Amino acid sequence: MDGSTSIDPTGYIKSRGLKFPKDGTYLTGKVRGLLRENGYERDLTAAALKATRAGDTDLDLGCGLGFVAGMLAKRRDVAAIHGYDGNATLLTYAEAMLATNGIDGVTLNHAVLGKRKSTVPFYVRAPFAASSLTPIEGEEATETAVEMLNMKTTLTALKPTVIICDIEGGEADLLDGADLKGVRQVVVKLHPAHIGHEGMLKVFDATAKAGLAYDPRLSAGRIVGFGTA
């Protein structure tokens, strides 16, 4: 995290009890409007809150602005929240937002999870939510490098009980073959334009193999939830 995001500490946008410092990079246009209208990541946040209960350890993959992590920290008595994102400057903003709101217990990591530990390219785009590990022909993006941590090793070390996943098309490969022992709930934002029909089948197959069934309480549109009995 290089701290290059320009943040105005005198101005804030309030959304659902959280204060978001105004900046010239991330809180622009549509994002500002959604925050002001309390509509930013509404379905994903609702699912994450329903999935999480006191004492849980949450893994927030593609944590972005820190909105979901902040809401969980404020509204649920969790043991810990671990956020991961490939965009370093976005994480700098998320850290500033959490500090502004006096939120601790959230650990943000500039890293992504995968099947093998390595360093991989990450493509930063505008809007920031479109950033991903996947190059897209004809689209403008800034290629950066990010550490990929081993998914299995990370799950063993952190022992999450809830996983929230919004990683712009990486969800199918990440969950495929993952050992989800000890995980009670999984919430995934699907990106069908990137993963297609086959990728969506992979998500449902991976969670089913882990003993997690589709949970309609957590699901709405592209947000799908899975849970134990």
Side-chain angles (χ1 to χ4, degrees):
M1 296 173 226
D2 61 15
S4 62
T5 302
S6 173
I7 297 173
D8 175 6
T10 64
Y12 302 96
I13 294 175
K14 293 182 179 180
S15 183
R16 300 182 67 182
L18 293 175
K19 293 196 300 184
F20 289 80
K22 291 181 180 178
D23 81 313
T25 304
Y26 298 115
L27 262 61
T28 57
K30 184 177 181 181
V31 173
R32 284 193 181 206
L34 288 170
L35 286 171
R36 288 193 175 108
E37 296 163 7
N38 295 328
Y40 186 78
E41 293 291 13
R42 179 183 294 151
D43 290 340
L44 182 63
T45 304
L49 287 168
K50 288 177 183 176
T52 303
R53 60 195 186 199
D56 274 334
T57 294
D58 282 44
L59 196 60
D60 186 4
L61 306 179
C63 58
L65 290 177
F67 188 92
V68 173
M71 290 292 291
L72 289 170
K74 292 278 277 188
R75 299 195 180 190
R76 296 290 182 269
D77 185 18
V78 294
I81 301 169
H82 300 274
Y84 290 82
D85 204 284
N87 188 332
T89 57
L90 183 56
L91 286 174
T92 299
Y93 178 88
E95 285 189 334
M97 184 278 290
L98 294 171
T100 294
N101 289 276
I103 293 172
D104 54 19
V106 178
T107 303
L108 299 181
N109 304 275
H110 179 220
V112 297
L113 302 187
K115 292 186 169 34
R116 296 177 185 82
K117 183 177 175 62
S118 61
T119 299
V120 296
F122 185 82
Y123 301 91
V124 178
R125 301 184 177 93
F128 65 84
S131 302
S132 72
L133 294 169
T134 307
I136 300 175
E137 187 176 353
E139 285 197 5
E140 185 176 346
T142 300
E143 182 177 334
T144 62
V146 64
E147 183 180 14
M148 177 176 280
L149 303 177
N150 179 268
M151 175 77 159
K152 182 177 181 180
T153 301
T154 302
L155 294 181
T156 300
L158 300 180
K159 297 179 173 56
T161 47
V162 178
I163 296 176
I164 300 133
C165 181
D166 179 9
I167 54 175
E168 201 65 24
E171 59 270 20
D173 289 336
L174 180 65
L175 293 173
D176 185 29
D179 182 0
L180 301 179
K181 183 180 179 181
V183 177
R184 190 186 71 255
Q185 305 278 177
V186 174
V187 176
V188 182
K189 185 173 185 178
L190 295 172
H191 299 84
H194 296 297
I195 66 174
H197 181 75
E198 182 179 346
M200 288 190 286
L201 287 174
K202 276 187 177 182
V203 171
F204 279 78
D205 185 53
T207 50
K209 286 180 178 176
L212 302 170
Y214 174 77
D215 188 342
R217 296 179 310 112
L218 309 180
S219 305
R222 291 195 292 130
I223 308 301
V224 291
F226 306 89
T228 56

